């Protein structure tokens, strides 16, 4: 029993670590994945590695071909567009509810997150914005009284993040923080129309990134 639990835990960690390598393009689209190398890197047997790769195949992050091996999937525009559409619809609905239900404590929590964003930017740790961004959007779902919806958004957003990480740079971070400021101000002011408008403006950047993909990263696309 204990061995099975340990293997499951190892498989979960391997899944998260390999997925993050794919999202951050440490493992690039089309790159072959070697079980032995990952097993040695993570210090675990190949069994949990295989389990993790099967989960990643189900989630659309790897392709497994008999006699050929396992490869990182290319970025599929149809998947990205569908994920972005799903996220946009859900986020815009959530933020309206959040603006109507926001308490003073909720507003303080949102502004605390925003201050952390400003801090990591001042410290030059702009890569940490991604984590704070996810925490912010999860908090919005919580305020709206729909925490389970965040799980849906989070799952589809993993594919969106493959694109976001390609275009995340130091120049983009101030704009992200400013967009989040407008979102939080609108929620704190209990203004659902302004909140939805701010969210749409924030999500618009992904539309622009999708258009840039074919120009800048055509080798990553299918």
């Amino acid at each position: 029993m204990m061995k099975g639990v340990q293997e499951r835990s190892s498989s979960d960690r391997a899944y998260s670590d390999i997925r993050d390598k794919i999202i951050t393009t440490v493992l690039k689209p089309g790159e072959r994945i070697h079980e032995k190398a990952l097993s040695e890197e993570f210090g675990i047997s190949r069994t949990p590695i295989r389990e993790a790769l099967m989960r990643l195949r189900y989630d659309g992050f790897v392709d497994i071909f008999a006699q050929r091996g396992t490869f990182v999937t290319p970025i599929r525009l149809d998947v990205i567009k569908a994920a972005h559409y799903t996220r946009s619809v859900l986020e815009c609905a959530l933020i309206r509810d959040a603006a109507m239900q926001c308490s003073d404590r909720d507003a303080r929590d949102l502004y605390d997150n925003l201050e952390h964003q400003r801090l990591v930017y001042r410290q030059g740790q702009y890569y940490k914005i991604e984590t704070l961004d996810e925490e912010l959007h999860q908090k919005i779902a919580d305020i709206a009284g729909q925490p389970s919806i965040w799980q849906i958004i989070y799952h589809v957003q993993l594919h969106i993040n493959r694109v976001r990480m390609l275009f995340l740079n130091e120049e983009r971070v101030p704009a992200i923080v400013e967009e989040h400021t407008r979102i939080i101000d609108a929620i704190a002011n209990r203004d659902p129309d302004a909140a939805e408008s701010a969210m749409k403006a924030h999500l618009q950047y992904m539309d622009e990134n999708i258009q840039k993909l074919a120009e800048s990263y055509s080798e990553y696309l299918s």
Side-chain angles (χ1 to χ4, degrees):
M1 175 66 75
M2 183 59 70
K3 182 180 179 181
V5 171
Q6 289 174 340
E7 288 186 348
R8 171 55 54 191
S9 179
S10 296
S11 175
D12 290 341
R13 289 197 302 272
Y15 169 82
S16 297
D17 289 345
I18 298 169
R19 185 194 64 199
D20 290 347
K21 284 176 179 288
I22 293 171
I23 289 173
T24 58
T25 66
V26 172
L27 290 171
K28 293 179 172 53
E31 184 173 342
R32 185 170 185 175
I33 296 176
H34 299 277
E35 288 182 9
K36 182 179 179 182
L38 290 174
S39 175
E40 293 173 352
E41 179 181 349
F42 298 152
I44 57 178
S45 71
R46 295 174 71 167
T47 298
I49 297 293
R50 292 191 191 100
E51 292 174 351
L53 291 174
M54 290 302 295
R55 289 173 62 188
L56 288 163
R57 179 188 188 185
Y58 176 80
D59 288 342
F61 287 104
V62 304
D63 288 323
I64 301 176
F65 301 101
Q67 310 304 320
R68 288 182 55 199
T70 301
F71 298 83
V72 178
T73 57
I75 295 175
R76 293 169 174 140
L77 280 177
D78 59 336
V79 173
I80 298 299
K81 289 178 179 178
H84 181 54
Y85 179 84
T86 301
R87 181 193 177 194
S88 297
V89 170
L90 293 175
E91 293 260 32
C92 287
L94 284 174
I95 200 168
R96 292 191 66 87
D97 289 344
M100 290 186 286
Q101 299 176 40
C102 183
S103 67
D104 291 342
R105 174 61 184 274
D106 291 330
R108 287 195 297 270
D109 289 344
L110 292 172
Y111 281 116
D112 283 346
N113 176 283
L114 182 61
E115 187 53 40
H116 279 112
Q117 292 183 46
R118 290 169 174 162
L119 177 63
V120 299
Y121 172 62
R122 290 195 298 268
Q123 293 176 337
Q125 299 175 319
Y126 64 87
Y127 56 91
K128 291 185 177 180
I129 287 290
E130 278 296 307
T131 299
L132 291 167
D133 177 86
E134 289 183 357
E135 291 175 1
L136 172 62
H137 287 268
Q138 182 175 8
K139 178 62 179 176
I140 290 171
D142 290 343
I143 295 172
Q146 298 288 350
S148 295
I149 297 297
W150 169 250
Q151 297 304 316
I152 299 172
I153 295 172
Y154 179 77
H155 184 76
V156 300
Q157 184 170 290
L158 291 173
H159 286 280
I160 296 172
N161 285 348
R162 296 185 73 184
V163 178
R164 292 177 69 187
M165 294 304 294
L166 290 174
F167 293 99
L168 181 65
N169 54 50
E170 191 170 1
E171 290 71 32
R172 168 62 183 154
V173 174
I176 293 174
V177 175
E178 180 57 34
E179 290 163 12
H180 286 166
T181 301
R182 288 194 288 269
I183 286 171
I184 292 170
D185 284 345
I187 294 174
N189 290 330
R190 283 74 172 179
D191 187 336
D193 291 336
E196 182 179 5
S197 178
M199 180 62 77
K200 286 180 177 178
H202 179 54
L203 297 175
Q204 178 64 32
Y205 185 69
M206 179 51 59
D207 290 325
E208 299 170 5
N209 284 347
I210 290 172
Q211 295 302 316
K212 291 178 183 176
L213 266 177
E215 302 170 11
S216 303
Y217 295 98
S218 59
E219 70 275 18
Y220 289 171
L221 305 182
S222 65

